[in-house]
Amino acid sequence: MILLLIFLAALAAFSIGLHWLIEQPGSVALDWGGYHIETTLVVGAAALIATVAAIIIAWAIIAYFFQAPARLKQSSRAKRREKGFQAISRGIVAAGAGHLGEAKRAAKDAVKYLDKEPLTYLLRAQVAQLEGDRVGAETAFHEMTQLSETRLLGLRGLHMEAKRRKDDEAAHHFADQAHRLAPLPWAGHALLEHHGAQANWDEARVAIEANLKAKAIDLPTAQRLRAVVETAMALEKQEEHPSEALHLARQAMKRAPDLAPTVALIGRLLARHGDSAKALKLLERAFAEQPHPDIAEAFLEVAPSESNAERLARVKKFAAGASHSPEAGILVARVALAARDFATARKALAPLVAEGKTPTAQVCLLMAEVEDAENGPSGPVREWLARGSRAPRDPAWIADGVISRRWAPASPVTGKLDAFVWATPPEPVRAATEDAKADIPAAFLTRPERLLESKIEEGATA
């Protein structure tokens, strides 16, 4: 509508101008080459306009013929690009669907029409990965690193290929290069995993700060990772530099108050500094808020030397703050069993084995040990051992399929920081294998577990 109005306005202006020109008196005379031409002003203007139009048309025709080869070449290039992008699109869809034959044909066409196109390199790499041709994939990714627009994509592909062949150093090299170009989340996480696997805690701290600055992780995640790294450093320094270890552990607890291994470590370090009262108070408060076996073990280690009866009284008070927790009952039962107070041990375990409850393997084995210590080998002992073999597994530290009773700052499989979580191992229920036990120090194997092993060995001998 607006264009129509503009056209009408221009047409009106032209009509008015033409009428004005016709109304003006005067003539135009031209003497050239022996010729004398005289005409009206209107005719002269029309002749001038016609001459200019003819020159423009002639120039356009001449230019068209001179530019024809370039236009033909450009048209051919456009058709090749169109065919190339069609091949790339077809190939990426085929590769995503796992159609290797179609993807290979499309990649061949893409190379033919768009050899230097970044997406062609990507398609070639995908086809090579589908074929299992790792060398071909790495070659394509390496070529991508030569182009500025695909350098990061090529580095990530090389990083993934290095991880597949378990070349950790090469994977770290490519992730580090990518991280220097742009602090992308995948590169930052890869650096953290590498430093975690190598226990390079100083480098891990630097990587955490870099990831936070680049907004690859948020502040709560950064605080948690800082706490994990500081706890790891404290564990390494606790023997030779206990004061520095205590400072690091306290920093970690401020960042992540719910990290039970940190609280347990602080309790041990305080006791080593001769401040057992403060350590016991800290552990008692922590156990009331978070009844965790690591905190309970630290309490037993920190408690001063005393008789079994005195220790039992202290443990009862310690566990009272978390009486609703199974861990409190298990702790009291263990100490009561050591003090040969079988009635207290049974009372502590009673809520866990009551009708309608499903006791875990550790609870069943504790009941078996109580029966064995009080009444000797008997039917109830065998019954509890049998129930223990079928009972649900007790919670443990789990990371990437690895089950351990001891916390670690990073996964032993991937190196991921803060990978271990306290959870119930997945079923099926089965006894721990020798390989799994080899990774668990003897101090972390409870007395009921050792009793079960002895009972199994006795049964096998019989």
Side-chain angles (χ1 to χ4, degrees):
M1 184 65 182
I2 295 177
L3 291 176
L4 179 60
L5 292 176
I6 293 173
F7 173 75
L8 292 175
L11 184 60
F14 177 76
S15 301
I16 293 170
L18 183 60
H19 182 267
W20 176 83
L21 187 63
I22 293 172
E23 293 294 327
Q24 298 301 316
S27 62
V28 176
L30 175 65
D31 289 313
W32 181 63
Y35 293 95
H36 177 77
I37 302 173
E38 186 174 352
T39 183
T40 64
L41 183 62
V42 175
V43 174
L48 179 61
I49 293 173
T51 302
V52 172
I55 293 172
I56 292 174
I57 293 171
W59 178 257
I61 293 172
I62 294 170
Y64 175 82
F65 282 106
F66 275 101
Q67 294 175 358
R71 281 198 304 273
L72 289 173
K73 186 176 180 179
Q74 186 177 4
S75 176
S76 176
R77 187 183 297 117
K79 288 181 179 179
R80 289 178 63 85
R81 286 182 63 83
E82 184 178 358
K83 290 181 180 179
F85 281 118
Q86 287 178 353
I88 290 172
S89 177
R90 189 171 69 252
I92 290 177
V93 171
H99 194 330
L100 178 58
E102 177 61 24
K104 287 179 68 175
R105 288 190 293 272
K108 186 177 179 180
D109 291 341
V111 171
K112 178 181 177 181
Y113 296 118
L114 291 175
D115 184 30
K116 300 301 182 182
E117 176 65 33
L119 288 175
T120 301
Y121 293 123
L122 177 61
L123 179 57
R124 285 173 51 200
Q126 288 183 325
V127 170
Q129 288 176 328
L130 279 177
E131 286 185 303
D133 181 8
R134 299 303 178 197
V135 175
E138 289 187 17
T139 301
F141 286 128
H142 179 71
E143 291 175 353
M144 292 168 72
T145 61
Q146 307 304 309
L147 302 175
S148 59
E149 60 265 38
T150 57
R151 185 168 293 123
L152 288 171
L153 182 57
L155 287 171
R156 185 173 192 185
L158 290 172
H159 169 77
M160 294 174 65
E161 290 300 323
K163 293 286 285 184
R164 285 193 179 98
R165 66 173 185 270
K166 300 187 184 303
D167 189 345
D168 294 334
E169 289 303 320
H172 171 63
H173 171 73
F174 296 127
D176 185 56
Q177 278 193 328
H179 191 70
R180 292 176 187 274
L181 291 174
L184 298 174
W186 73 265
H189 293 320
L191 290 180
L192 279 177
E193 288 185 1
H194 175 79
H195 295 317
Q198 301 296 322
N200 296 329
W201 306 124
D202 289 327
E203 290 83 351
R205 293 175 91 175
V206 173
I208 291 170
E209 300 308 319
N211 278 311
L212 178 61
K213 185 178 180 180
K215 297 183 179 180
I217 56 177
D218 55 22
L219 182 58
T221 302
Q223 286 288 76
R224 177 74 181 189
L225 293 177
R226 287 167 177 164
V228 169
V229 170
E230 286 164 351
T231 303
M233 297 174 73
L235 286 170
E236 288 186 350
K237 295 176 181 292
Q238 64 178 325
E239 297 297 334
E240 298 182 0
H241 306 284
S243 297
E244 188 176 350
L246 180 59
H247 174 70
L248 286 167
R250 280 173 165 165
Q251 279 187 328
M253 190 175 71
K254 289 179 182 178
R255 301 184 196 277
D258 61 336
L259 193 57
T262 305
V263 179
L265 177 60
I266 292 175
R268 294 187 180 97
L269 291 171
L270 285 173
R272 187 176 299 178
H273 278 72
D275 201 348
S276 296
K278 192 172 183 179
L280 292 172
K281 185 177 180 180
L282 169 70
L283 294 172
E284 185 174 346
R285 184 173 63 251
F287 191 79
E289 296 175 357
Q290 182 188 6
H292 196 282
D294 286 4
I295 299 175
E297 290 292 340
F299 178 82
L300 293 179
E301 293 178 23
V302 170
S305 299
E306 53 195 355
S307 67
N308 287 334
E310 291 173 336
R311 168 165 285 207
L312 178 57
R314 184 187 293 273
V315 167
K316 282 183 178 180
K317 181 182 176 182
F318 175 78
S323 56
H324 62 283
S325 169
E327 293 300 334
I330 291 173
L331 176 62
V332 172
R334 287 175 58 191
V335 178
L337 187 58
R340 301 191 67 79
D341 188 343
F342 305 122
T344 299
R346 290 180 184 277
K347 182 179 178 181
L349 294 175
L352 306 180
V353 297
E355 185 176 355
K357 297 289 185 178
T358 305
T360 63
Q362 185 179 10
V363 173
C364 293
L365 298 176
L366 271 173
M367 286 299 301
E369 191 165 358
V370 171
E371 290 288 350
D372 182 69
E374 185 175 13
N375 303 317
S378 60
V381 174
R382 290 190 293 274
E383 180 183 347
W384 282 114
L385 288 175
R387 288 184 65 178
S389 66
R390 301 186 301 270
R393 304 177 75 172
D394 291 275
W397 290 109
I398 305 174
D400 297 321
V402 176
I403 301 173
S404 174
R405 289 196 176 275
R406 183 166 58 183
W407 177 85
S411 166
V413 178
T414 63
K416 180 183 178 183
L417 288 176
D418 196 28
F420 275 98
V421 295
W422 184 256
T424 302
E427 300 297 341
V429 178
R430 57 185 177 82
T433 63
E434 293 303 319
D435 289 339
K437 288 183 180 179
D439 295 331
I440 303 174
F444 290 89
L445 289 174
T446 60
R447 292 180 63 202
E449 288 174 319
R450 294 198 293 272
L451 173 66
L452 176 60
E453 292 172 0
S454 64
K455 293 298 181 183
I456 292 175
E457 289 173 1
E458 289 174 6
T461 303

